[in-house]
Structures are given as structure tokens and as C-alpha cells.
Amino acid sequence: MDTSTLQAFVETAQLGSFSQASQRLFITQSAVSKRVAQLEEQVGARLFDRIGRTIALTDAGKALLPQARRILAELEDAKRVVKNIKGDISGRLSVAASHHISLHRLPNTLRTFTTQFPDVELDLRFYESEVAYEAVLHGDIELALITLSPESDPRLHSEVLWLDRLFYCVSNDHPIAQHGTTDFETLNQYPGILPAPNTFTSLIVHEQLAQRGLTPNLGISTNYLDTIRMMVSVGLGWSLLPESMIDNSLHKVVIDSDAIERPLGFIYHRDRTLSNAAGKLLNLLKEDAQKGS
């Protein structure tokens, strides 16, 4: 059993696809299949059920997966400890970031980081915050830049970098925009455009409406806030959006509710030794956040 077979197994299990695992590992699909087959032979059990193009973990595969993740994480941790001692700022740095943070908070920091540390191989993945959270917990990602959960897992270190103020918005020609002020009952007469129910924004809206005995009148749904902003701007409904995304195509709704702030920041696993590269990136992020970028 070696790391290459374990990596092929973990990536295939995580992505649910031999072809996607091959893309992640930069090897051919047949090479991934061969490595998984070698691992199955070594452990003496089938790890995946293959039904047509669909694969699923067997009971043996489910039992092996957390152990394989732990072994790979400990090996990577050992490598980082040695590199850190040597002072190296190089190698692979895996970072997951939400689409909103990637578009609106990261560009300047990434430009500086890649210029200052050209020997770092940046593996930047665009995940929804909830997916990135799980990836850090499982040891698949070193850092995640996400909307922070109000109840973080004790295994994770989390730190706020930015506070996003959120406002209810409609298009400038929406009937609500003609009101000086409005209330949730009036707002909810029109369709809302929200991300998935388990997201910070959606949970806030559901809670505020529920406090007033209202069930959200929801229309289109997408997790991409820039798409939501576009749909709101052309009059398809209202939404709750970060102040940083509100331009003159949108109208802030004056409504009786407490100020809403969404904490954005980073998380990493407390049991994982951060690489020198991760430390440098976090320092740059903190500096830029203090400057207001």
C-alpha cells in the first residue's frame, strides 16, 4: 500500500468518479482505475461497486475512507513540518474559497502572493462555503475562505477577516422601490430570490419572516450571488445582498429589521500543521483586510 493508491482511492470516493479523480490527480483515468484495483488487491476487498457509469463505496470502502484520509493527512503534515523547519515557502497550497470571496475579496491578495512566492503551487478551488467547510474537516483542503458558521466545529480554527453588511434590495423600478419604507408582509407579496436553504443568507431571511408568521414567497434560486444581483436588477424579485455588491442598479429597501452582518473569514484544522505558504497567505489576507480591500 502506498500513497499513490490511497490518493486515487480518496479522490475517486470524494468525487464519485474515476474520470474526475484523474483530472484532479493529473493522470489518466486508466491509471486511476489501476491504482484503485491495486489497493483492492492489497486489502483483499472490493472498495467500489461499479454499476454502469455509476460508482458507490462498498462497506469496506466506507470503512477504509477515513483511515486513508488520516494516513494521507499525517504524511502531508510530516512533510510540512520538515519544510517549515527549513523555512521553505514552496510546494502545493490547497485553498478553497467561496465564489463571492474569490470575486470580491481575493484578487489583490492573490496577485501579491503569486508575485512574492512564485515557487508555491496554488491549488485554488471554488466551493460553496458548506462544501469547503467539510473539505477542511476531512483534511482535503489546508485553508478555506468562507462565510463562517455561527457554531464552528471545535476541531476547526476560524477567524473573521471581513464583515459583510447585508441589505434587502429590489430593482429601481420595482413597486417596493416607490415606497419610503416597507414591512416584511409587503415585501413577501413579491417573489424572493435566495440561495440554498442551508446558506447563511437564506437562513437569516427564513428566520426573520418566521418571526412574523410568514412563509417565504420564493421564486428562482441559485447559490451565485452575482447571478442573484443580476436577476434582482432586472426586476425578477427581491433578495438580501452584501453592501459591496449593491450598485446604482439596485434599490435598498428600508425595512424594520436589525442590521445584518455576515462574517467572512478563514478556517483550518487545528490538528494540521500550517505550511509556511499558508502562513504567508494568511498574513497577506489580514493585512489587506485591515486596509479595507
Side-chain angles (χ1 to χ4, degrees), residues 13-14 32 37 42-43 50 54 56 65-66 74 88 94 96 105 116-117 122 126 134 203 206 240 248 256 290 292-293:
Q14 184 172 294
V32 172
Q42 290 166 349
V43 300
R50 301 158 176 83
T54 303
L65 184 57
E74 289 181 354
D88 288 351
S94 57
R105 303 287 186 176
Q116 290 185 5
F117 308 107
L122 187 62
F126 304 104
E134 292 298 320
L203 288 171
H206 278 76
L240 184 65
N248 56 16
D256 181 22
Q290 289 175 352
S293 51

Side-chain angles (χ1 to χ4, degrees), residues 7-18:
Q7 285 174 335
F9 165 65
V10 169
E11 291 293 347
T12 301
Q14 184 172 294
L15 298 170
S17 165
F18 286 102

Side-chain angles (χ1 to χ4, degrees), residues 26-220:
F26 301 102
I27 58 177
T28 64
Q29 183 173 334
S30 61
V32 172
S33 299
K34 183 177 179 180
R35 290 180 185 183
V36 171
Q38 287 175 341
L39 184 59
E40 289 177 325
E41 184 177 346
Q42 290 166 349
V43 300
R46 180 181 289 275
L47 301 174
F48 293 104
D49 284 327
R50 301 158 176 83
I51 305 171
R53 295 186 177 181
T54 303
I55 63 170
L57 283 169
T58 62
D59 287 343
K62 292 175 184 176
L64 179 61
L65 184 57
Q67 301 299 324
R69 280 176 166 152
R70 180 183 58 79
I71 292 168
L72 291 173
E74 289 181 354
L75 286 171
E76 286 298 315
D77 203 51
K79 292 178 184 177
R80 278 191 295 273
V81 168
V82 174
K83 279 190 175 182
N84 286 355
I85 291 173
K86 294 168 62 179
D88 288 351
I89 304 174
S90 60
R92 180 172 168 270
L93 171 59
S94 57
V95 181
S98 71
H99 289 84
H100 175 73
I101 291 177
S102 300
L103 287 172
H104 299 279
R105 303 287 186 176
L106 275 188
N108 290 337
T109 304
L110 288 180
R111 185 182 299 111
T112 302
F113 181 81
T114 54
T115 300
Q116 290 185 5
F117 308 107
D119 293 332
V120 175
E121 178 193 347
L122 187 62
D123 176 14
L124 180 60
R125 306 182 191 183
F126 304 104
Y127 287 168
E128 293 173 8
S129 291
E130 295 74 23
V131 175
Y133 187 94
E134 292 298 320
V136 172
L137 267 181
H138 291 151
D140 302 323
I141 293 292
E142 186 169 0
L143 286 175
L145 305 169
I146 60 173
T147 301
L148 298 177
S149 170
E151 297 180 3
S152 183
D153 190 295
R155 293 170 290 178
L156 299 179
H157 172 86
S158 64
E159 197 168 324
V160 176
L161 289 174
W162 311 280
L163 282 175
D164 250 357
R165 297 177 68 202
L166 304 179
F167 293 90
Y168 287 94
C169 297
V170 294
S171 65
N172 289 319
D173 56 359
H174 192 283
I176 291 290
Q178 314 313 314
H179 300 188
T181 61
T182 193
D183 52 38
F184 281 98
E185 288 78 6
T186 303
L187 182 70
N188 202 45
Q189 292 174 12
Y190 301 92
I193 305 172
L194 297 176
N198 63 335
T199 59
F200 180 91
T201 300
S202 194
L203 288 171
I204 286 289
V205 173
H206 278 76
E207 181 181 341
Q208 290 194 324
L209 290 174
Q211 288 173 355
R212 295 160 176 83
L214 299 172
T215 300
N217 174 15
L218 299 181
I220 305 167

